[in-house]
Amino acid sequence: MSELTVSYVGERYKALVPDTLDLAERARLAISGICGCIDPELDYFQWFNVFYAWRQPYMSHHGADCTCDPKFTESLPMLRLMCGSDQYLELEDAQRRALLGRIEGDLYWNKVDVRRPWRTTYNPAFDGRRREDEDLCSTGGLARMLRALVTLREYTSDSAWDKPIRALVGGMRRIALYRDDYAYYPDGGYGEPFNYPRSGWLRTDEPASETEGGEGSVVTYQSHQIQALARWYALSGDESALEMAGRLTRFCMQSKFWGGLPDPRGPDETMVGHISRRLPDPVGIAGAELGHWFSHFHARAIG
């Protein structure tokens, strides 16, 4: 076998390159990018869309702003730890206080606001049952807010964060629907998928497949919760959080959410939320047992 060789064809040359990216500098840039997308004129909601490849670049708001705002609150402490930057500290503090103000009782609310007409326009499929005058709690936003609070607790070691964390854990458990040894959140509201209105779920159907809801993924609306609850259990030993994380995990592991492969043609743009096309698994391959999946990449990566 010693006569086997490999020939690598191509041009070889020498160049001076850095050993690695300067991660501290990247973190500093990320702080600038994140805080540049916060709108202090509108209660510190984020500018969700950034159109920079235009003759006149601009930003706009979106129906998922309340759900995604906690991503900023979660990321900034970690970025500052990496680089030590104090840029936008006042803005960060103001947004954090605004987000904490959205917590009432045991849920994180997307409240009625005439200044935000886009608040319930995330999913056109819900137009027939939209109510403009009711506060909403996105289960995804609730979980993202819990992740943010747990991160603050981790990085500050301040037990003052325990109270709002325990409240959101309780709310997360309260509004879930329970079946056998698992639990789930239904696509049962209006506006953004998986919204919970103050008056309660409009429908409680158990999702039957992965691509229900305007995001094209059921799993993603259960998965942020799993991470947040597991991290909180690791910090606090809260058995109720661990039990709930286990129930949601068992729901997400059901075979109906797995199997199939992505179609190289990409999403079906005729569908609400541009649902990903699905190719069947090869003959003889149990794709669901092997963890095959086909839908929204970001959403499935969360799971």
Side-chain angles (χ1 to χ4, degrees), residues 32 82 85 91 103 149 184 198 259:
S32 179
M82 289 174 65
S85 171
L91 183 65
I103 297 175
L149 295 180
Y184 67 92
R198 275 199 190 269

Side-chain angles (χ1 to χ4, degrees), residues 56-197:
Q56 179 64 51
Y58 71 98
M59 300 186 290
S60 66
H61 290 288
H62 184 272
D65 52 7
C66 189
T67 291
C68 292
D69 279 343
K71 297 180 182 181
F72 289 3
T73 300
E74 180 182 21
S75 299
L76 287 167
M78 293 185 280
L79 293 170
R80 294 199 189 281
L81 187 66
M82 289 174 65
C83 68
S85 171
D86 59 2
Q87 185 182 24
Y88 291 118
L89 274 175
E90 291 185 3
L91 183 65
E92 176 189 353
D93 180 64
Q95 192 204 39
R96 183 171 56 251
R97 284 187 279 108
L99 267 62
L100 288 169
R102 299 175 198 171
I103 297 175
E104 287 186 10
D106 57 5
L107 295 176
Y108 169 75
W109 293 102
N110 183 354
K111 299 178 183 178
V112 173
D113 189 340
V114 295
R115 299 171 302 165
R116 298 172 56 236
W118 55 83
R119 189 180 69 97
T120 59
T121 60
Y122 183 98
N123 187 349
F126 288 154
D127 283 351
R129 48 201 173 100
R130 182 184 301 160
R131 303 176 193 164
E132 304 291 356
D133 60 349
E134 189 170 2
D135 295 339
L136 303 167
C137 172
S138 162
T139 55
L142 169 63
R144 292 298 318 212
M145 190 62 191
L146 181 56
R147 280 182 53 170
L149 295 180
V150 170
T151 297
L152 290 165
R153 178 64 168 88
E154 289 171 338
Y155 280 83
T156 63
S157 299
D158 187 347
S159 62
W161 295 104
D162 292 3
K163 183 176 180 180
I165 289 173
R166 293 186 186 279
L168 294 191
V169 169
M172 200 172 283
R173 298 177 64 226
R174 177 176 65 83
I175 66 172
L177 299 174
Y178 296 82
R179 301 285 188 273
D180 302 323
D181 67 343
Y182 63 89
Y184 67 92
Y185 301 99
D187 186 20
Y190 58 96
E192 188 175 356
F194 297 83
N195 268 338
Y196 175 82

Side-chain angles (χ1 to χ4, degrees), residues 122-123 193-194 209-221 272-276 294-297 299-300:
Y122 183 98
N123 187 349
F194 297 83
S209 66
E210 161 65 349
T211 54
E212 295 179 21
E215 189 71 12
S217 174
V218 168
V219 166
T220 188
Y221 283 92
V272 173
H274 294 181
I275 304 301
S276 297
F294 67 95
S295 56
H296 190 315
F297 181 85
R300 293 304 300 228

Side-chain angles (χ1 to χ4, degrees), residues 31-43:
I31 289 172
S32 179
I34 286 174
C35 292
C37 293
I38 295 174
D39 184 359
E41 301 299 319
L42 189 61
D43 297 341

